[in-house]
Structure formats: C-alpha cells, structure tokens
Amino acid sequence: MQRTRTVLVTGGAGGIGRGVAAAFSAAGDTVVIADRDAEGVTRTAKELGVHGLALDITDTAAITRELDALQAEFGPVEVLVNNAGLLTVHGALLDLPGSDLDTILRTNVVGTFLMTQHVARRMVDAGIAGVIVNMSSIGGRQPTPGMGGYESSKAAVDALTRWAAIELAAHNIRVNAVAPGPVLTEMLATGMPEGSPQRRAWEDRIPLKRLAAVDDVAAAAVFLAGESAAHITGTSLPVDGGQLLT
Ligand SMILES: NC(=O)c1ccc[n+]([C@@H]2O[C@H](COP(=O)([O-])OP(=O)(O)OC[C@H]3O[C@@H](n4cnc5c(N)ncnc54)[C@H](O)[C@@H]3O)[C@@H](O)[C@H]2O)c1
C-alpha cells in the first residue's frame, strides 16, 4: 500500500475528474478537487468524501491564494492532476471564430501551464519528489473534422508535458499525461446514447470496439502518479482502445 499523499485534481466537479478523484481517494490519498463550478465542486466533494475548492485555473491571483490556503491545511500538493478542460467548443477550420480558439487555449493550455508552474514551484521549495499528470487526448495526434481547435490545445498539452518533464526532472518531479479517446462520461452518454449513429461511428473507429470508461482513464492516472511508474516521465499514454493504430 502506497503512503498517503495530498492529491489535487482540477476539474473534479464531474466527468473524468470526479472518477480520478474517487480512484485516488480509494487508494487512501488525501484528495482535494478544484473546479470553477463552485456549486458542483462542493456537491461532488461531499458525495466522494473529499475536499472541495472553487478555483478558476486561468486566474493567477486565485491560484496563488488557494494553493497557499491548501498548503496551510494539508501540506504541499504531492500529486497534481491537471484535468480541467473545455471540450465542447468545436467548429470547422473555415468557420471557427478566433475568439473561440482563444477561449479553448486559455483554459486547456494557459490554465494547465499556470497550475503546473505554481504547484511545481511549491514542490521545489518543499523539496518534494512530486508527480504531475495532465489530461490530454489522442485528438492531439489524430484529427477529426470539426475538432481541430480542441485538438490543437491537446497537442500543446503534450508539448507542455514534455517541457515540464525535462525541466523538472532535476527536482525529481515526474510529469506525464493520459491521452484518452472518447470517454463515456455522463455528458457523452447523454449526448451520444447507445445505438445512436454518432456513437456507432466512434465505436467503429476503435479496434477494441468500445468507448473508454471513466475508470479506464482514472486507473491510468493513478498508475502514472504511483511508484510503479517511478521511471516514466515525459510521456502521453493513450487510453484509446487502439484508436491511434487506425
Ligand atoms: N470526455 C472525453 O471524451 C474526453 C476525451 C479525452 C480527453 N478528455 C479530457 O478530460 C478532461 C475532463 O473532461 P470531461 O469529459 O470530464 O469534461 P467535463 O466538462 O465533464 O469536466 C471538465 C471540468 O472542468 C471544469 N473546468 C472547465 N474550465 C475550468 C477552469 N477554467 N477552471 C477550473 N475548472 C474548469 C468544468 O467545470 C468541469 O467540471 C478534459 O481535459 C478533457 O479535455 C475528455
């Protein structure tokens, strides 16, 4: 059994973040979920029996304030899961307004960068051999028409993962990413019900013929953050049923 760590999961109010938080909590860690959805994060924290924090990952002043408060209560963050992201803003290259791309990049790239920088500074100051796990997407490597804005942000998350990994290795901090294909969150299951043409089209693209479950993704995050992955850094691990093979 692994020793108890302080784990911060961003975007933990629902979807994948909620599953990731539950998995770390089940492993015995002290888990704090952070989300800009203040009501949602309070509700989910209560349901999971973890700690909740209202935080917008694009707001530097709030990040500094909340990380200081968190550290005073739980000690420095030892595992950061950068899961918060926007994934519903889509559009074709010829149509997508530039302002929409700005919005996606601001959250998925700048927000992930800011959280990484501020948590990593505290890990370095405290001399902690910490771990950072980013939530990427195989879309960063394989295009789907209409999703290129989002996919560009995830390609940047993969680059950010390598950037952080190579610079933070000297401090014994590992940085990796999980890169899922489509994941059956509640939102996706509602928007794409079983048997719908859209769901079948995705399943047909996946050699293992099913969309990822939230637990598939959570298990990969827990693995990358754990001792079994002690010699892994700078990678983006596909959890995609083989979709990248096609
Ligand atoms: N669902 C999928 O099919 C899928 C596939 C590959 C990758 N991902 C990635 O997984 C992550 C989670 O996705 P999900 O499907 O659970 O989506 P979701 O929308 O259910 O959850 C995302 C959470 O992030 C929060 N959030 C958004 N912007 C924020 C900000 N600025 N500050 C703080 N919190 C913010 C939202 O409030 C929400 O609770 C995202 O990074 C997404 O890109 C999802």
Side-chain angles (χ1 to χ4, degrees), residues 80 116 123 129-134 157-178 220 223-237:
L80 167 67
T116 300
M123 287 173 172
V131 185
I132 299 172
V133 179
N134 295 328
V157 167
D158 283 345
L160 183 53
T161 302
R162 292 186 292 267
W163 176 25
I166 199 154
E167 290 192 9
L168 296 175
H171 300 283
N172 230 350
I173 296 169
R174 296 187 299 107
V175 187
N176 291 291
V178 179
F223 163 68
L224 287 172
E227 276 305 306
S228 315
H231 205 49
I232 302 176
T233 196
T235 198
S236 180
L237 177 66

Side-chain angles (χ1 to χ4, degrees), residues 85-101:
L86 289 184
L87 62 157
T88 50
V89 187
H90 297 307
L93 180 80
L94 296 181
D95 304 325
L96 187 76
S99 56
D100 281 6
L101 187 60

Side-chain angles (χ1 to χ4, degrees), residues 26-241:
D29 289 314
T30 299
V31 177
V32 182
I33 54 174
D35 204 291
R36 68 173 179 178
D37 173 359
E39 226 173 87
V41 80
T42 304
R43 190 176 52 244
T44 302
K46 203 167 163 205
E47 286 166 8
L48 296 182
V50 303
H51 307 275
L53 185 67
L55 176 68
D56 183 337
I57 61 161
T58 66
D59 180 344
T60 307
I63 291 172
T64 304
R65 189 181 61 239
E66 295 304 333
L67 286 180
D68 284 348
L70 193 159
Q71 185 157 336
E73 194 173 351
F74 304 105
V77 171
E78 293 167 271
V79 178
L80 167 67
V81 183
N82 275 316
N83 165 80
L86 289 184
L87 62 157
T88 50
V89 187
H90 297 307
L93 180 80
L94 296 181
D95 304 325
L96 187 76
S99 56
D100 281 6
L101 187 60
D102 263 351
T103 304
I104 300 165
L105 295 178
R106 178 89 199 136
T107 296
N108 295 8
V109 184
V110 181
T112 299
F113 160 75
L114 289 173
M115 288 303 298
T116 300
Q117 180 180 65
H118 286 266
V119 170
R121 280 178 183 163
R122 285 167 171 76
M123 287 173 172
V124 170
D125 287 348
I128 281 174
V131 185
I132 299 172
V133 179
N134 295 328
M135 203 50 75
S136 185
S137 163
I138 57 158
R141 285 177 257 179
Q142 185 187 70
T144 298
M147 293 182 66
Y150 170 73
E151 291 167 348
S152 301
S153 77
K154 293 301 184 177
V157 167
D158 283 345
L160 183 53
T161 302
R162 292 186 292 267
W163 176 25
I166 199 154
E167 290 192 9
L168 296 175
H171 300 283
N172 230 350
I173 296 169
R174 296 187 299 107
V175 187
N176 291 291
V178 179
V183 183
L184 260 185
T185 56
E186 236 176 86
M187 184 171 69
L188 204 142
T190 311
M192 250 193 248
E194 201 169 350
S196 63
Q198 217 192 348
R199 174 96 154 251
R200 248 185 265 127
W202 277 110
E203 286 164 351
D204 283 347
R205 246 178 115 175
I206 301 170
L208 290 180
K209 294 294 171 216
R210 70 170 177 87
L211 274 58
V214 169
D215 287 350
D216 293 320
V217 179
V222 170
F223 163 68
L224 287 172
E227 276 305 306
S228 315
H231 205 49
I232 302 176
T233 196
T235 198
S236 180
L237 177 66
V239 179
D240 67 344

